Amino acid sequence: MLKYQQTADEIERYIEQHELKQGDKLPILEELIRQFAVSKTTMTKSLELLERKGVIFQVRGSGIFVRKTNRTGYIRLFSTQGFKQNLVGHTIESTVLALEPIAATDNIAKNLGIEAGETVYYVKRIRYIDSKILCLEESYYRQSIVPYLNREIVEQSIFEYLETALQLNIGFSDMYMHVGKLSAESAHHLDLTEGDPGLTIETVFHLTNGRPFDYSVITYHYEHSHFVVQANGLYL
């Protein structure tokens, strides 16, 4: 994790620990630089990152303010963070249905920018929020970038493992969303009925250097999943 990303995480923890609310003012820039012991350049990049993530907003001449959604349990759609970081205050658990190295199909290879047949880790999980089924998740990790996964890791937060243990710098993602009717298999895992509505999001996650490392297909339980989009700026 880069220094500015680490600092951004520390500022988020500071906001949570001090129970700051929407509109609360953070210390001025110079004080933040002293408090977190970083350069002005690093702090500026950290604040820009937090602003893009919808954690803060800055008003020229007035200061830096906390920006929070006023509804808990909502997933930020355009976030590269995992569920545990995205849904702070909620219990996120997983049931692992599959974990194995497989040969990438043409579709997997296309999304990960690799050759068909290259080895990827296949992970299939049911994710829960506060003991309710949240989604069915199928993910494919490039083994050349993620050389090792075990059941203990995938039962927790894979992204936390990637950032802390493997020191990978997660950068950006491309998301493709569509709504349709659940297949019999998906409905079974989600404890729903075949033909019920389901939102499926395909996401390709990249490192900061642009290399794709994870292709995930997540189908959400329509009764237990809620989303928020935090937009910056007004476009007409």
Side-chain angles (χ1 to χ4, degrees):
M1 183 179 295
L2 300 177
K3 184 62 177 177
Y4 79 92
Q5 294 172 316
Q6 179 183 333
T7 303
D9 286 347
E10 291 174 358
I11 294 173
E12 280 200 74
R13 285 195 292 272
Y14 171 89
I15 291 171
E16 293 297 331
Q17 290 167 359
H18 289 78
E19 298 181 349
L20 300 182
K21 298 178 175 58
Q22 170 80 20
D24 285 348
K25 191 173 183 179
L26 291 174
I28 61 173
L29 178 63
E30 291 74 15
E31 177 58 32
L32 288 174
I33 291 170
R34 287 193 296 270
Q35 184 172 334
F36 292 93
V38 295
S39 68
K40 183 176 181 180
T41 299
T42 296
M43 180 55 67
T44 299
K45 291 182 68 176
S46 299
L47 295 175
E48 289 174 350
L49 174 59
L50 291 173
E51 196 160 25
R52 289 197 302 272
K53 289 171 62 177
V55 176
I56 65 166
F57 63 96
Q58 303 184 68
V59 180
R60 187 182 299 276
S62 297
I64 307 160
F65 300 87
V66 173
R67 177 184 179 186
K68 280 190 172 183
T69 60
N70 58 5
R71 302 180 186 181
T72 63
Y74 278 69
I75 300 166
R76 288 188 302 217
L77 265 184
F78 304 133
S79 171
T80 55
Q81 295 180 319
F83 287 135
K84 286 199 172 183
Q85 290 176 294
N86 213 330
L87 294 167
V88 174
H90 296 269
T91 301
I92 305 300
E93 298 172 303
S94 303
T95 295
V96 180
L97 303 178
L99 168 61
E100 59 181 330
I102 65 170
T105 63
D106 289 340
N107 181 58
I108 296 168
K110 180 180 179 180
N111 280 284
L112 288 176
I114 59 177
E115 295 294 327
E118 184 174 321
T119 301
V120 297
Y121 266 114
Y122 170 57
V123 178
K124 185 175 184 178
R125 303 187 288 180
I126 299 176
R127 311 299 302 276
Y128 299 85
I129 178 171
D130 300 332
S131 300
K132 295 180 180 180
I133 295 175
L134 175 64
C135 63
L136 172 66
E137 175 186 281
E138 294 184 89
S139 299
Y140 307 88
Y141 294 89
R142 291 177 64 172
Q143 197 175 50
S144 59
I145 297 176
V146 184
Y148 178 73
L149 287 174
N150 62 23
R151 185 167 290 269
E152 181 180 1
I153 293 169
V154 301
E155 284 177 346
Q156 302 299 318
S157 171
I158 297 177
F159 273 30
E160 185 175 317
Y161 163 75
L162 299 181
E163 291 181 317
T164 57
L166 298 187
Q167 297 292 297
L168 295 178
N169 297 315
I170 299 172
F172 56 93
S173 62
D174 298 318
M175 306 176 74
Y176 306 87
M177 295 170 273
H178 58 90
V179 176
K181 296 180 179 180
L182 294 177
S183 66
E185 180 186 1
S186 295
H188 169 72
H189 289 308
L190 294 172
D191 196 23
L192 291 169
T193 302
E194 181 180 1
D196 277 348
L199 170 65
T200 298
I201 300 180
E202 297 181 53
T203 307
V204 180
F205 293 92
H206 301 75
L207 302 177
T208 52
N209 62 12
R211 295 180 70 192
F213 70 92
D214 169 26
Y215 167 54
S216 289
V217 181
I218 302 179
T219 302
Y220 287 91
H221 192 297
Y222 75 94
E223 292 179 324
H224 303 156
S225 54
H226 309 281
F227 305 91
V228 60
V229 176
Q230 292 180 278
N232 292 309
L234 180 63
Y235 299 91
L236 300 177

